[in-house]
Amino acid sequence: MMRTHVLPRRPAIGLTELGFGAAQGGNLYRATTDEEFVAAVDTAWAAGVRYFDTAPHYGLGLSERRLGSALRHRPRDEYVVSTKVGRLLVPSPQNAHLRDSEGFDVAASHRRVWDFSRDGVRRSIEASLARTGLDRIDIAYLHDPDDHWEQAVTEAVPALVELRDQGVVDAIGAGMNQSAMLARFVRETDVDVMMCAGRYTLLEQGAAADLLPLAESRGVGVVIAGVYNSGLLSRDHPPANALYNYQQAPPELIERARRIAEVCDAHGVTLPQAALAFVRRHPAVVSTVVGVRNGTQMTETVRRSATVVPDELWRSLAATGLLASAG
């Protein structure tokens, strides 16, 4: 069985240490077939993965529909699903002949509308329940509220608290590609779990200065996403065309990742194996969500996740200045 960590504030919710990221099920970057996605979920389930993350943003609802279909026949109390609010999907049939412009290979039959109002949050959850076909959402995250702090904190969070009190969702939080505002949510609102993407990885540890210590002290769980920094840490030896933050990685970061990979090689582990192991060492981290497209990728992710990484690796990285501290 895969290890599970409960949310300190919501002990009824346990997250497997490896979570399934379903963005590729929304055709992130390129098309994924229904068969590939089902195989990915089946492989994850067989390996013991019981935490699945999605969002309306991923493929204009395609990811939610596929994930709900793949999970619907499984015992509902045996898995945890998180989705997100903040982007409503509004039909735009006049653009259905076009392709989505935000990174997903789907028809532009809907457009995303930012909405962190109370009504927008409730409508978003209702739509997600309809798309997934599930009876409840276990975790609801505010999705990228970077430019919407005021409405998020005055309307969206109270709306999620209401839904949590009503049992429509079990836990609430926010998911972002930064750590400073996530820390502010922890400090100023009644949240249970944060999803931090890309800001606590083997390459960079900004969240160690603000979000992680605060979350640990407040009993708020942290889910780490973007553990590979959008691809830069996903291969044993980073190529020159590697992505970082969804864009071409700058040369200095590619060089840094390659130097980390060399140290990993010297200790008998690969860069992706070390990337997964590193983030789990912090006591505030309750799960690591990795995006997968098919069964083969899921099998490889599980294999990487199970690798035992020697502590000497962290000491070597710290000694060479490639890691701030060996922990």
Side-chain angles (χ1 to χ4, degrees):
M1 293 295 294
M2 187 170 292
R3 183 162 43 179
T4 297
H5 301 281
V6 301
L7 297 182
R9 291 190 176 187
R10 304 290 160 187
I13 300 178
L15 303 183
T16 46
E17 62 180 0
L18 179 62
F20 182 106
Q24 282 84 345
N27 290 1
L28 179 64
Y29 302 135
R30 60 182 176 84
T32 300
T33 67
D34 291 342
E35 292 75 16
E36 285 178 315
F37 186 76
V38 168
V41 173
D42 288 346
T43 304
W45 190 273
V49 175
R50 295 295 184 271
Y51 174 37
F52 300 84
D53 177 70
T54 183
H57 171 56
Y58 302 158
L60 295 171
L62 177 60
S63 173
E64 288 188 318
R65 290 192 295 272
R66 279 176 162 168
L67 184 61
S69 177
L71 292 176
R72 207 169 300 143
H73 66 284
R74 306 183 190 274
R76 183 63 185 90
D77 291 338
E78 292 187 14
Y79 60 87
V80 172
V81 169
S82 59
T83 192
K84 306 177 183 77
V85 302
R87 291 174 171 93
L88 290 178
L89 303 182
V90 178
S92 56
Q94 69 278 12
N95 295 322
H97 64 290
L98 303 174
R99 306 306 287 173
D100 178 53
S101 62
E102 297 197 26
F104 296 89
D105 186 13
V106 295
S109 57
H110 290 71
R111 59 188 178 88
R112 302 168 180 86
V113 176
W114 290 103
D115 193 336
F116 289 93
S117 68
R118 179 181 183 278
D119 179 65
V121 166
R122 298 185 74 90
R123 288 167 57 198
S124 183
I125 291 295
E126 182 178 356
S128 290
L129 288 169
R131 282 189 291 266
T132 60
L134 301 177
D135 62 335
R136 68 180 186 277
I137 300 298
D138 299 290
I139 301 173
Y141 296 112
L142 304 179
H143 200 181
D144 299 334
D146 305 65
D147 299 324
H148 307 272
W149 166 261
E150 193 63 33
Q151 188 175 46
V153 76
T154 60
E155 296 190 51
V157 171
L160 287 178
V161 169
E162 287 180 9
L163 292 170
R164 186 181 62 193
D165 290 345
Q166 295 165 2
V168 178
V169 302
D170 295 325
I172 64 173
M176 305 176 71
N177 291 289
Q178 60 153 295
S179 61
M181 189 177 285
L182 289 177
R184 191 175 178 189
F185 276 112
V186 172
R187 188 180 300 111
E188 301 182 28
T189 69
D190 180 18
V191 291
D192 308 301
V193 57
M194 297 280 104
M195 177 175 280
C196 181
R199 304 289 77 82
Y200 187 68
T201 70
L202 189 56
L203 187 70
E204 56 181 287
Q205 296 92 48
D210 46 28
L211 172 64
L212 292 173
L214 182 63
E216 184 182 5
S217 68
R218 299 288 179 92
V220 174
V222 178
V223 173
I224 298 297
V227 66
Y228 298 139
N229 283 115
S230 299
L232 183 52
L233 303 181
S234 67
R235 299 189 187 182
D236 295 3
H237 303 284
N241 63 346
L243 295 180
Y244 168 79
N245 262 17
Y246 312 106
Q247 299 177 352
Q248 169 65 43
E252 62 271 19
L253 285 185
I254 293 176
E255 176 59 26
R256 181 178 177 85
R258 287 174 173 173
R259 290 176 61 200
I260 294 173
E262 290 174 0
V263 179
C264 290
D265 285 344
H267 288 274
V269 298
T270 67
L271 180 61
Q273 288 169 347
L276 274 172
F278 172 74
V279 298
R280 292 180 180 157
R281 300 173 73 237
H282 198 287
V285 174
V286 293
S287 185
T288 303
V289 167
V290 179
V292 292
R293 191 178 299 276
N294 52 48
T296 300
Q297 287 185 0
M298 190 70 241
T299 298
E300 176 62 16
T301 299
V302 171
R303 186 187 67 80
R304 290 173 174 176
S305 179
T307 301
V308 177
V309 175
D311 288 340
E312 182 59 32
L313 171 61
W314 317 125
R315 291 191 284 270
S316 296
L317 288 171
T320 55
L322 293 170
L323 193 61
S325 169

